[in-house]
Amino acid sequence: MTALLASAGAVVVTYLLRILLITLVPASQLPAAVRRLLPHVGPAVLAGLVAAALFRPSGAVQPAFLVGAALTGAVAWWRGSVVLACQLI
């Protein structure tokens, strides 16, 4: 029960932070350097999540996950679309 409440609380806090940041700081008021870098945030976060899953602190790399990540990366590079690669694999 506490895990469910903690998850619900995290969802509410995350949603509120998003809404506050979007309403208080619209994209048109951000500096040009930040606006230029915003499209790269999504792929960077995705790469960080994959790297964290691949290279665990225990040092154990699952071969099936490694092959899947390599295939997805190859298709993304070949086709130029991470979304397409994730749907194909």
Side-chain angles (χ1 to χ4, degrees):
M1 185 66 178
T2 56
L4 182 62
L5 288 174
S7 296
V11 167
V12 169
V13 169
T14 302
Y15 187 74
L16 286 176
L17 282 174
R18 286 183 190 178
I19 295 300
L20 285 175
L21 288 175
I22 289 171
T23 56
L24 294 178
V25 186
S28 60
Q29 292 182 353
L30 292 173
V34 174
R35 283 193 310 250
R36 191 181 74 244
L37 294 175
L38 276 177
H40 302 289
V41 171
V45 169
L46 181 61
L49 290 171
V50 170
L54 278 176
F55 307 107
R56 296 180 180 173
S58 64
V61 177
Q62 296 178 351
F65 191 80
L66 185 60
V67 169
L71 286 174
T72 303
V75 171
W77 176 74
W78 175 52
R79 300 302 289 170
S81 172
V82 174
V83 174
L84 179 65
C86 290
Q87 290 176 350
L88 290 177
I89 300 297

